[in-house]
Amino acid sequence: MFRKAPAFWEKRGPISFILWPLSLIYSAVLQIRKLFQDLGLWVGKPVSVPVIIVGNIRVGGTGKTPIVIAVAQQLAQLGWKPGIISRGYGAKTQIIPLQVRSDSDPALVGDEPVLIAKLTHDNFPIWVFPQRSQSIAALLKQNPEVNVIVSDDGLQHAGLSRWPAREGGRDIEFVVRDARGEGNSFLLPAGPLREPATRERDATLIMGSQKAEVYPDGYFLGQRAFNLTSQLGAAFQLHHPHTTLSLADIATQYLPAKMTAVAAIGNPQRFFDDLQTQGICASGIALPDHSTFHASFFDSINAECILITEKDAVKCAHIQDERIWVVPMTLAIPDTLSQWMQAILARPDPHQPSQ
């Protein structure tokens, strides 16, 4: 329903105020759920390893998937053995947890998990299922050596018991924020927020050119924020991955009127803006997140060069079109964030009684 953010979510106006009473109902539901949790009436079973949740309070993507990849890779470099779980958005209805590999069908397990598997070369066990505790159980049974879980989203998943770092635990809750911020700051459906902007978190991960210091004290509960910077790499042909072109070469070889960028991600405009900073002024086609692709769609595009994201590329394996170029994106974890995660994960398990 909300795979593509409506324009009225960004600024308060007539439509958002008409829907505002429904937001009050949604807020009441959130408060009742929190009350049940506080009273111990709705508590999931804790898992034996620490869990790092990379989530967002805004509906739609804010750049979580590349962060999940970067966090898992950084943890591996630090000597940890991470596993990854995801809900598998865009997948067919699942009845049991499923393991994901780079050659898995995105229609069955979701496009983002397949992308994670491809970009990490199947180095980490990845499992998907709406009930995240069941995914963790299946993952740990199959891979008992895993000693930390990285969850792609799941902040609002009440069935996953956790003891966050801010409460003395070793689980970590990240809220990812991009340049769109909180829009009009209303809860669903009048605005884009799944939870209030003041939601507690262990840290805020800020994607893009924003700076944490521009916000007043108290905005980020936990008083900890990290800026993450992404970088676009050389593009490669969809069906000839070894054929590459730098973005500078693409900008030189093709006229702007002959280039089109396509993105079916949470924030397509960010992809278009990133391309523009590299000198590529292509027209943009923004599609709802997790959209599927057919050859007829690309056939209808009058362009000599079509640029797509890696996430969309995993759904285009059946499409033969030499005009399609995939633009990879990488992201590095700052040393300060890496050191902080290491310190938190090294804490003793708070679920176990003290000796």
Side-chain angles (χ1 to χ4, degrees):
M1 179 178 180
F2 295 114
R3 284 173 23 189
K4 189 172 183 179
F8 69 83
W9 275 0
E10 304 309 321
K11 294 183 179 180
R12 297 186 179 186
I15 299 178
S16 59
F17 280 111
I18 290 174
L19 295 174
W20 182 62
L22 296 179
S23 294
L24 294 179
I25 297 174
Y26 178 73
S27 176
V29 172
L30 293 180
Q31 294 177 34
I32 292 173
R33 188 178 75 167
K34 186 177 186 305
L35 177 62
F36 280 12
Q37 291 173 327
D38 293 342
L39 294 176
L41 301 177
W42 191 353
V43 180
K45 183 179 179 181
V47 297
S48 58
V49 300
V51 178
I52 299 176
I53 296 179
V54 181
N56 55 298
I57 60 174
R58 180 187 172 112
V59 170
T62 52
K64 298 186 302 296
T65 301
I67 296 176
V68 168
I69 294 170
V71 167
Q73 291 175 332
Q74 184 63 30
L75 290 173
Q77 291 181 15
L78 293 172
W80 294 85
K81 297 186 180 300
I84 299 172
I85 63 169
S86 172
R87 187 185 188 280
Y89 289 101
K92 297 177 181 178
T93 302
Q94 302 172 22
I95 58 175
I96 58 172
L98 297 175
Q99 187 169 12
V100 181
R101 300 188 186 280
S102 56
D103 59 353
S104 296
D105 183 357
L108 183 63
V109 298
D111 49 11
E112 290 167 347
V114 174
L115 173 62
I116 295 172
K118 285 181 177 293
L119 296 183
T120 59
H121 309 289
D122 291 319
N123 286 334
F124 308 116
I126 304 170
W127 287 73
V128 297
F129 194 58
Q131 300 300 320
R132 296 175 190 272
S133 58
Q134 294 185 36
S135 283
I136 294 176
L139 187 155
L140 293 178
K141 182 178 180 180
Q142 187 77 18
N143 303 92
E145 74 281 2
V146 167
N147 54 15
V148 60
I149 297 291
V150 182
S151 177
D152 186 354
D153 211 352
L155 284 175
Q156 292 80 31
H157 188 68
L160 183 59
S161 176
R162 49 192 182 263
W163 198 326
R166 62 183 180 275
E167 298 174 5
R170 59 178 183 169
D171 295 327
I172 300 174
E173 293 183 338
F174 287 131
V175 171
V176 182
R177 188 184 195 274
D178 65 10
R180 296 172 299 172
E182 287 74 41
N184 61 19
S185 297
F186 282 156
L187 294 173
L188 291 168
L193 301 187
R194 296 189 282 187
E195 295 185 86
T198 54
R199 183 209 195 278
E200 289 186 304
R201 76 289 300 271
D202 292 313
T204 303
L205 303 183
I206 304 174
M207 295 289 290
S209 59
Q210 320 163 69
K211 297 296 181 182
E213 57 266 22
V214 305
Y215 301 101
D217 289 343
Y219 182 84
F220 299 106
L221 296 186
Q223 300 296 308
R224 182 174 285 105
F226 301 92
N227 290 99
L228 305 182
T229 302
S230 59
Q231 183 175 1
L232 299 182
F236 59 89
Q237 268 190 315
L238 177 64
H239 282 285
H240 302 281
H242 297 296
T243 302
T244 63
L245 273 179
S246 70
L247 296 182
D249 287 340
I250 289 177
T252 301
Q253 292 187 24
Y254 298 97
L255 294 173
K258 295 298 183 180
M259 291 189 291
T260 299
V262 178
I265 57 179
N267 185 7
Q269 190 59 48
R270 183 183 170 201
F271 178 58
F272 305 150
D273 291 343
D274 287 346
L275 288 174
Q276 191 166 17
T277 62
Q278 300 294 321
I280 296 179
C281 300
S283 59
I285 299 178
L287 301 173
D289 199 7
H290 306 291
S291 292
T292 56
F293 292 93
H294 301 282
S296 58
F297 167 77
F298 291 104
D299 291 341
S300 67
I301 298 177
N302 182 21
E304 296 175 358
C305 175
I306 302 173
L307 303 170
I308 66 174
T309 69
E310 289 178 296
K311 174 179 171 179
D312 294 326
V314 303
K315 297 171 290 186
C316 298
H318 61 290
I319 297 174
Q320 302 288 336
D321 192 327
E322 293 189 353
R323 300 175 301 158
I324 301 176
W325 292 80
V326 184
V327 183
M329 189 267 281
T330 58
L331 183 146
I333 297 295
D335 290 341
T336 51
L337 175 54
S338 177
Q339 294 165 5
W340 178 75
M341 285 195 304
Q342 177 80 314
I344 297 301
L345 296 176
R347 291 176 178 176
D349 186 353
H351 295 290
Q352 298 296 325
S354 57
Q355 299 296 327

